[in-house]
Amino acid sequence: GAVVSQHPSWVICKSGTSVKIECRSLDFQATTMFWYRQFPKQSLMLMATSNEGSKATYEQGVEKDKFLINHASLTLSTLTVTSAHPEDSSFYICSARDRSGGPLGTGYTFGSGTRLTVV
Amino acid sequence: DAKTTQPTSMDCAEGRAANLPCNHSTISGNEYVYWYRQIHSQGPQYIIHGLKNNETNEMASLIITEDRKSSTLILPHATLRDTAVYYCIVRVVSGNQFYFGTGTSLTVIP
């Protein structure tokens, strides 16, 4: 089945630095990828939709200059948290949509997530 | 996308059926019901989806009421590994994004 690899699985960084998280579709081409953020004991919150070769679409309230998204190829999207602060500490999860769409919209696969801790 | 309402938490004895309800009273005719689950500190996993007919796969069964205003996810023989947060999502199949509600935290008890 479709596999989405997310790296790193966890990262600790100092306040003020930037952190890049990668999301790769291993065995399929993903024209669209999604980035979510999840705080402890809360649900997943969609941050942005990333389309290959074009600018990402951010959800209301998400700072596009702070969360830089690049989707340069059909198998890779990256999320860069710039000038990270402790309040950015969270679980970040990506999702990729199989280019074929999958049967009735089931072609969405989620990565295993990245635990970011900003100290 | 239609809003869904799920109980915050549920317990189920190991080996018994787990029945997870979801209300989606404002669902539109072209919206499907999807179920995902998230085991602690992992990404969500697709379980099942349906439009109006009951559906069954190797993981679970989905029962949708005739008026489509509610549905129930059934795990026929719950195991400890089924302990997770279960999300019911309603969306059009042609839609792009998945928006997650609060979900139901299911705990399977030995």
Side-chain angles (χ1 to χ4, degrees), chain B residues 13 20 83 87 92:
Chain B
L20 292 91
T83 293
Y87 296 98
V92 294

Side-chain angles (χ1 to χ4, degrees), chain A residues 32 34 36 38 42-46 49 51 57 59 91 93 97 103-106 108-113 115, chain B residues 32 34 36 38-46 48-49 87 91 93-103:
Chain A
T32 307
F34 308 89
Y36 293 84
Q38 186 176 34
Q42 294 187 23
S43 185
L44 289 81
M45 184 190 78
L46 180 66
T49 301
N51 295 297
T57 303
E59 295 294 306
F91 191 54
I93 305 168
R97 181 176 183 178
L104 293 178
T106 59
Y108 291 80
T109 303
F110 288 81
S112 55
R115 177 78 57 190
Chain B
Y32 284 70
Y34 292 81
Y36 279 77
Q38 184 182 25
I39 296 171
H40 182 63
S41 294
Q42 296 183 24
Q45 175 191 23
Y46 166 80
I48 199 168
H49 76 283
Y87 296 98
R91 65 188 286 276
V93 69
S94 58
N96 220 7
Q97 295 87 350
F98 270 91
Y99 293 95
F100 288 80
T102 53

